[in-house]
């Protein structure tokens, strides 16, 4: 096509065929084609919010923030706070089940469009660790605060001390002490996280992840949820990813960072999540005693998820609707 255009444009002068100026003009004709290709790229879907599992109240709250013109960062914080305050959710926030020493310890992280992030780990007596994590991000030069230091910082920021046990979780713990048997149960004990990703009207991405961790864990255990790059990662040029399940396996592959990098290389969110799980399973060949679920979104608002065992779902809310999506799994 370039050759035909060149001959047509230079037909009035044989000398023009070899002139430098005509050659330069010929090369410049590629610009309209590049512009045309860009113009037919898929229109980004925004705003949009997704979260792990069927936490419809959380996704609905985040959507309200987005539709009112709020930022993705505000949306994910306020969205996951719904579950942190829900005493019937025994894997997040108040009502979360304790470690084997009887302490309810919470972990959370948050990350914004500029790569700023904050995290708290092993924090007690504070209902909303995600909000403390945001304060760490915004009010300190640090990224992670742990244990009593995180709790002290929370009080200094105006958070109130509150007993995180509920009547139900205290009774469960007392019953557990009779045997003190620790085991994981697929899609029950291990959906111990709400991870949320959102894109706002400006096209900016943010994410948050919060959990009470595995029930009856060894005191001091921290999983992937509050670890930037493992349980959550955001790159505003590419997309975001979050994880749920047995955090030790996610940490070993830096799972969420891996998925975002795979999207940077051109994979769709679905393809990236599948590759993330397969990397884990390659290191655990033949194992079937744990669950991992990945959730991802790219800059265009395309989403995807993949897991080890059937049962993992994610909520998606956009102008196209509000639905719970079941994902395909490594073991069907």
């Amino acid at each position: 096509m370039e050759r035909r255009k060149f001959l047509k444009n230079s037909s009035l002068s044989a000398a023009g065929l070899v002139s430098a100026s005509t050659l330069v003009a010929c090369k410049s004709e590629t610009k309209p084609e590049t512009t045309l290709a860009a113009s037919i790229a898929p229109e980004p879907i925004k705003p949009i919010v997704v979260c792990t599992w069927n936490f419809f109240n959380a996704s609905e709250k985040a959507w309200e923030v987005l539709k009112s013109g709020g930022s993705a960062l505000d949306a994910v914080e306020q969205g996951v706070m719904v579950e942190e305050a829900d005493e019937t959710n025994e894997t997040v926030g108040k009502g979360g089940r304790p470690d084997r020493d009887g302490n309810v310890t919470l972990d959370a992280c948050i990350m914004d469009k500029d790569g700023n992030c904050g995290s708290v780990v092993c924090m007690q007596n504070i209902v909303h660790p995600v909000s403390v994590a945001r304060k760490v991000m915004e009010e300190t030069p640090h990224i992670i605060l742990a244990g009593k230091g995180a709790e002290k910082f929370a009080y200094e920021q105006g958070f109130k001390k509150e007993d995180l046990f509920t009547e139900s979780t205290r009774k469960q713990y007392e019953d557990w002490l009779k045997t003190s048997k620790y085991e994981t149960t697929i899609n029950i004990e291990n959906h111990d996280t709400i991870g949320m990703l959102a894109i706002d009207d400006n096209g900016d991405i943010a994410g948050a992840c919060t959990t009470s961790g595995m029930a009856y864990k060894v005191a001091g255990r921290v999983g992937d949820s509050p670890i930037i790059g493992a349980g959550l990662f955001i790159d505003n040029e590419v997309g975001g990813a979050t994880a749920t399940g047995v955090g030790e396996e996610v940490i070993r592959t830096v799972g969420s960072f891996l998925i975002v990098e795979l999207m940077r290389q051109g994979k769709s969110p679905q393809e990236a999540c599948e590759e993330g799980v397969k990397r884990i399973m390659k290191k655990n060949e033949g194992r079937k005693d744990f669950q991992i679920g990945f959730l991802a979104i790219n800059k265009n608002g395309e989403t995807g998820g993949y897991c080890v065992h059937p049962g993992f779902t994610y909520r998606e809310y956009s102008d196209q609707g509000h639905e719970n999506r079941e994902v395909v799994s490594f073991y069907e």
Side-chain angles (χ1 to χ4, degrees):
M1 180 179 73
E2 293 297 305
R3 177 177 170 82
R4 287 196 298 270
K5 289 181 179 179
F6 178 83
L7 291 172
K8 180 179 178 181
N9 291 339
S10 58
S11 60
L12 295 179
S13 172
L17 289 171
V18 294
S19 69
S21 60
T22 307
L23 288 170
V24 172
C26 174
K27 290 182 180 179
S28 70
E29 290 181 5
T30 60
K31 292 182 179 178
E33 293 181 6
T34 303
T35 303
L36 177 60
S39 69
I40 61 175
E43 183 71 20
I45 299 172
K46 58 182 183 180
I48 183 172
V49 60
V50 292
C51 70
T52 55
W53 304 102
N54 189 21
F55 292 130
F56 55 88
N57 288 326
S59 55
E60 188 171 72
K61 178 60 179 179
W63 179 249
E64 289 176 3
V65 175
L66 293 174
K67 287 300 287 182
S68 66
S71 70
L73 186 65
D74 288 340
V76 295
E77 179 189 14
Q78 293 184 41
V80 301
M81 284 175 67
V82 171
E83 295 306 318
E84 289 178 336
D86 184 354
E87 296 182 14
T88 66
N89 183 345
E90 296 179 347
T91 61
V92 176
K94 184 168 185 178
R97 287 171 290 184
D99 61 26
R100 60 187 58 185
D101 290 352
N103 297 310
V104 182
T105 61
L106 305 182
D107 309 316
C109 70
I110 195 165
M111 193 168 188
D112 72 10
K113 64 183 177 64
D114 297 316
N116 299 311
C117 47
S119 170
V120 292
V121 302
C122 271
M123 187 175 68
Q124 299 182 42
N125 302 313
I126 305 294
V127 175
H128 292 297
V130 72
S131 298
V132 182
R134 182 168 179 176
K135 288 292 187 181
V136 173
M137 177 180 75
E138 295 177 341
E139 303 296 336
T140 81
H142 310 305
I143 291 178
I144 301 175
L145 293 183
K148 292 300 181 183
E151 185 178 349
K152 178 175 180 290
F153 172 76
Y155 298 145
E156 291 170 350
Q157 295 296 314
F159 292 85
K160 304 301 182 184
K161 184 174 183 178
E162 188 167 341
D163 184 3
L164 299 179
F165 261 115
T166 62
E167 183 178 344
S168 173
T169 53
R170 193 179 299 279
K171 177 65 166 60
Q172 289 180 56
Y173 176 63
E174 291 169 354
D175 290 342
W176 178 81
L177 285 173
K178 296 173 184 177
T179 60
S180 298
K181 182 180 179 182
Y182 179 79
E183 61 182 358
T184 60
T185 306
I186 303 301
N187 292 330
I188 299 177
E189 183 174 322
N190 286 327
H191 67 260
D192 55 351
T193 308
I194 175 171
M196 180 175 283
L197 310 166
I199 303 177
D200 58 31
D201 279 331
N202 294 323
D204 292 324
I205 310 172
C209 193
T210 182
T211 184
S212 58
M214 290 183 175
Y216 319 127
K217 61 198 175 189
V218 173
R221 179 265 184 186
V222 175
D224 67 302
S225 298
I227 307 301
I228 300 298
L232 176 73
F233 193 72
I234 302 295
D235 185 323
N236 205 43
E237 294 180 350
V238 181
T242 188
T244 186
V246 178
E248 285 77 2
E249 301 304 326
V250 177
I251 292 172
R252 289 187 179 107
T253 58
V254 199
S256 291
F257 175 80
L258 169 64
I259 288 170
V260 173
E261 283 302 295
L262 288 169
M263 290 193 293
R264 179 185 292 278
Q265 295 169 20
K267 290 186 181 295
S268 68
Q270 183 61 40
E271 292 169 336
C273 288
E274 291 181 14
E275 177 63 21
V277 169
K278 289 173 182 176
R279 294 275 185 101
I280 290 174
M281 298 314 296
K282 187 175 181 180
K283 296 178 181 295
N284 293 276
E285 190 170 352
R287 279 189 63 187
K288 296 186 176 182
D289 61 343
F290 67 93
Q291 172 71 305
I292 294 292
F294 283 122
L295 172 61
I297 190 169
N298 67 13
K299 193 70 171 176
N300 285 329
E302 298 168 319
T303 65
Y306 196 66
C307 56
V308 176
H309 293 278
F312 172 55
T313 67
Y314 69 90
R315 269 276 162 182
E316 179 176 319
Y317 208 152
S318 71
D319 282 324
Q320 299 176 8
H322 189 200
E323 60 181 313
N324 187 46
R325 297 191 172 188
E326 187 167 347
V327 305
V328 293
S329 59
F330 185 85
Y331 292 118
E332 292 293 348

